[in-house]
């Protein structure tokens, strides 16, 4: 059984928790898109892991971890993460494979990201400033790209970096009057990255196809959320990769039909970090209640997340483009204590009621949400393990989301721990 887990909102839906649970029955967990902009949380007992590049299966000592070619790898972050796990007694030796074709995020990408965001002022995108956009831009541009396999030939890499950095310095100085970047410093870092990471660098496409032929079970771990997809999200307020499940085949060279089930992860409400339209946003005491109760602060940047009601229009759209078979609805516990809840079931755009999400910010910015209001529940549900033990209004809320998204809800999160999950 091969599965793919993908976010159905604007990221941070609880993918890390779900992947950690499903990894128990998987031989291999694969990250196929994005980079260290992702922050996936796994909570095991009193230990909390925040993973940015390593697949969330990495905390299980026997799970093979694969980072494929469409991931942009920041070696500094990855090495820190490997060392962090080692400190907690978890080693990646012999079970981490990184694609030789994955592009490398270097210091100048992070600098470009930061300078561009600063220069945009109020029009900034609110990126994670992890160099993601600039690295993907170099990948698409091809001439100034560095890939993990380039670390194998340091002589050639030195010459290449000199050329790239000469170009980068011209641009950074002309556009931002920035201090020049030192090619020798970047090269020295690359030498240490090579020493540390090359044992893990390989042809991951060959590895994955061999594993499929051998009947191993693979779990593909999406990063970000479908609404942040470069081509199908809320452009330009998106990330620079295909973060819906559409990015999976291209991201790792494994056809979509090799996946037996696509599981979408959504919160029982909506959050977003960074700029961009968010029709069901509650920039008020409701949003603050959700933020406080759900600890809605970014795993990567610590920024407060924008919070709002569950948006069935958005999630239905994501479920369609990401081929979702079932939904894992996380953070139901966070809604306990609210007198009434709203679910956005349609948008009113220029007097017309629409239920198909417009992935176009001009139209989306004009959308006013049409809500269904339902009664809330007072009981805390963090200890509930059986669906039938949930308060009646909580079950009604789940059923209504199922109906509006036309997708079964197979799992419900009632807390951050592995055990706080209801399976139906
Ligand atoms: P990801 O990026 O999709 O992996 O999600 P993040 O880890 O960035 O954010 C999700 C946060 O919610 C993390 O702090 C999780 O530990 C936490 N979490 C996940 N599921 C639940 C849940 O059902 N209830 C509560 N209260 N917290 C949850
Ligand atoms: P996980 O995997 C939430 C958002 C940023 C910004 C936009 C572009 O943890 O769900 P980028 O740095 O990618 O150029 O930023 O995308 N973003 C995320 N938001 N969760 C994420 O990842 C995100 N990765 C990027 O906040 O709005
Ligand atoms: Mg996250």
């Amino acid at each position: 059984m091969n599965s793919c887990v993908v976010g159905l909102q604007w990221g941070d839906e609880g993918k890390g928790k779900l992947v950690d649970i499903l990894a128990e029955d998987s031989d291999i967990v694969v990250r196929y898109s994005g980079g260290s902009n992702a922050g996936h949380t796994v909570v095991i007992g009193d230990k909390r892991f925040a993973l940015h590049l390593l697949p969330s299966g990495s905390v299980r000592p026997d799970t093979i971890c694969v980072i494929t070619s469409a991931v942009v790898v920041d070696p500094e972050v990855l090495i820190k993460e490997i060392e962090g796990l080692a400190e907690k007694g978890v080693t990646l030796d012999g079970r981490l494979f990184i694609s030789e074709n994955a592009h490398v995020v270097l210091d100048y990408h992070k600098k470009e990201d930061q300078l561009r965001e600063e220069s945009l002022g109020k029009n900034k995108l609110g990126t994670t400033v992890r160099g993601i956009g600039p690295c993907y831009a170099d990948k698409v541009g091809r001439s100034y790209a560095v890939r993990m396999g380039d670390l194998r030939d340091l002589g050639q890499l030195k010459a290449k970096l000199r050329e790239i950095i000469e170009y980068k310095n011209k641009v950074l100085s002309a556009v931002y009057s920035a201090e020049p970047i030192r090619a020798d410093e970047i090269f020295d870092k690359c030498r240490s990255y090579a020493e540390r990471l090359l044992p893990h660098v390989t042809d991951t496409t060959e590895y994955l196809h061999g594993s499929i032929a051998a009947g191993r079970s693979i779990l593909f771990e999406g990063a970000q959320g479908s609404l942040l997809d470069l081509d199908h999200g809320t452009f330009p307020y998106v990330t620079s990769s295909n973060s819906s499940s559409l990015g999976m085949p291209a991201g790792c060279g494994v056809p979509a039909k090799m996946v037996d089930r696509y599981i979408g992860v959504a919160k029982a409400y909506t959050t977003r970090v960074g700029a961009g339209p968010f029709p069901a946003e509650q920039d008020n005491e409701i949003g603050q209640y959700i933020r406080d109760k759900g600890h809605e602060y970014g795993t990567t940047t610590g920024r407060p997340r924008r919070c709002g009601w569950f948006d069935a229009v958005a999630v239905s759209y994501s479920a369609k483009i990401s081929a979702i078979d079932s939904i894992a609805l996380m953070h139901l516990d966070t809604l306990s204590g609210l007198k009434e809840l709203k679910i956005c079931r349609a948008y009113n755009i220029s007097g017309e009621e629409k239920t198909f999400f417009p992935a176009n910010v001009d139209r989306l910015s004009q959308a006013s949400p049409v809500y269904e209001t339902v009664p809330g529940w007072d009981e805390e549900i963090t200890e509930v393990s059986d669906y039938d033990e949930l308060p009646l209004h909580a079950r009604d809320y789940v059923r209504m989301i199922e109906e509006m998204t036309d997708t079964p809800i197979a799992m419900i999160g009632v807390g951050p721990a592995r055990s706080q999950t209801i399976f139906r």
Side-chain angles (χ1 to χ4, degrees):
M1 172 80 101
N2 299 326
S3 310
C4 180
V5 166
V6 59
L8 298 180
Q9 294 158 327
W10 281 284
D12 304 325
E13 296 90 348
K15 299 176 292 294
K17 172 184 163 173
L18 183 68
V19 167
D20 168 56
I21 291 170
L22 299 178
E24 188 175 8
D25 299 319
S26 312
D27 301 307
I28 302 167
V29 181
V30 180
R31 261 293 297 274
Y32 61 81
S33 70
S36 63
N37 47 351
H40 297 177
T41 314
V42 175
V43 178
I44 304 168
D46 57 1
K47 285 191 185 135
R48 186 176 176 278
F49 301 85
L51 301 161
H52 302 287
L53 278 163
L54 286 173
S56 299
S58 55
V59 297
R60 293 185 181 266
D62 300 320
T63 306
I64 304 280
C65 296
V66 179
I67 296 175
T68 64
S69 61
V71 175
V72 287
V73 177
D74 181 335
E76 214 155 276
V77 175
L78 183 56
I79 292 167
K80 211 184 274 174
E81 223 166 290
I82 295 171
E83 285 170 356
L85 280 190
E87 277 164 22
K88 291 179 175 161
V90 186
T91 170
L92 270 299
D93 290 348
R95 63 180 185 101
L96 170 65
F97 302 106
I98 307 165
S99 170
E100 59 194 352
N101 294 335
H103 286 249
V104 184
V105 178
L106 292 166
D107 285 351
Y108 50 79
H109 293 124
K110 290 178 258 191
K111 192 161 183 179
E112 279 177 86
D113 201 352
Q114 178 210 333
L115 290 169
R116 186 176 313 172
E117 282 285 271
E118 281 169 10
S119 75
L120 286 168
K122 67 175 179 34
N123 293 325
K124 70 179 181 184
L125 300 176
T127 74
T128 59
V129 208
R130 296 299 186 268
I132 306 301
C135 184
Y136 277 116
D138 280 345
K139 167 181 168 172
V140 176
R142 293 153 298 161
S143 313
Y144 298 119
V146 175
R147 303 201 286 177
M148 289 303 293
D150 293 333
L151 297 174
R152 288 180 182 134
D153 187 338
L154 289 174
Q156 210 171 312
L157 179 63
K158 192 172 195 170
K160 189 174 193 175
L161 278 174
R162 210 178 294 128
E163 211 175 289
I164 294 173
I165 290 166
E166 193 183 321
Y167 165 78
K168 294 279 178 190
N169 278 336
K170 278 186 198 154
V171 175
L172 290 175
S173 144
V175 180
Y176 305 108
S177 310
E179 289 293 309
I181 294 157
R182 302 250 324 258
D184 53 343
E185 274 176 18
I186 305 272
F187 176 72
D188 288 346
K189 285 189 176 188
C190 285
R191 197 167 24 204
S192 74
Y193 301 154
E195 204 174 296
R196 190 66 189 78
L197 295 178
L198 275 181
H200 301 283
V201 175
T202 187
D203 181 340
T204 54
T205 314
E206 182 180 2
Y207 178 77
L208 288 177
H209 280 272
S211 301
I212 289 167
R216 293 196 196 113
S217 92
I218 306 179
L219 177 58
F220 297 91
E221 174 178 356
Q224 287 80 53
S226 300
L227 302 173
L228 288 171
D229 187 287
L230 177 61
D231 291 297
H232 304 286
T234 49
F235 187 92
Y237 304 102
V238 291
T239 191
S240 299
S241 62
N242 288 116
S243 51
S244 65
S245 76
L246 295 165
M248 190 285 296
C252 51
V254 173
K257 70 175 180 184
M258 299 288 194
V259 174
D260 302 290
R261 58 171 182 177
Y262 288 89
I263 305 168
V265 192
K267 275 177 185 154
Y269 46 91
T270 314
T271 64
R272 170 163 213 174
V273 256
F278 178 176
E281 181 168 18
Q282 298 300 301
D283 190 10
N284 53 30
E285 70 284 1
I286 300 277
Q288 192 57 47
Y289 182 88
I290 292 173
R291 188 174 306 115
D292 290 342
K293 195 146 196 278
H295 307 289
E296 292 296 355
Y297 294 87
T299 310
T300 300
T301 57
R303 290 178 291 177
R305 295 175 181 147
R306 300 159 64 190
C307 299
W309 296 121
F310 186 88
D311 187 337
V313 181
V315 172
S316 302
Y317 167 76
S318 295
K320 283 192 184 81
I321 65 166
S322 279
I324 296 305
D325 296 301
S326 65
I327 291 178
L329 190 71
M330 309 311 254
H331 275 271
L332 190 65
D333 54 301
T334 299
L335 296 179
S336 289
L338 286 167
K339 214 174 152 56
E340 57 180 31
L341 305 172
K342 292 183 190 219
I343 304 176
C344 172
R345 64 164 179 82
Y347 294 156
N348 187 313
I349 303 176
S350 314
E352 204 187 323
E353 216 167 90
K354 295 272 298 176
T355 52
F356 197 90
F357 182 81
N360 172 292
V361 291
D362 295 333
R363 280 193 292 138
L364 190 58
S365 313
Q366 290 165 27
S368 45
V370 180
Y371 289 117
E372 199 72 51
T373 304
V374 295
W377 59 91
D378 265 335
E379 301 90 325
E380 291 300 335
I381 56 172
T382 52
E383 304 290 322
V384 175
S385 56
D386 186 340
Y387 181 71
D388 294 326
E389 283 168 21
L390 283 173
L392 173 67
H393 290 158
R395 278 177 283 145
D396 285 346
Y397 183 73
V398 171
R399 207 185 45 239
M400 195 168 267
I401 290 178
E402 273 185 323
E403 280 168 15
M404 285 190 199
T405 58
D406 199 20
T407 313
I409 292 174
M411 283 162 270
I412 295 165
V414 291
R418 273 176 183 168
S419 58
Q420 290 173 303
T421 312
I422 299 172
F423 295 88
R424 290 174 78 199

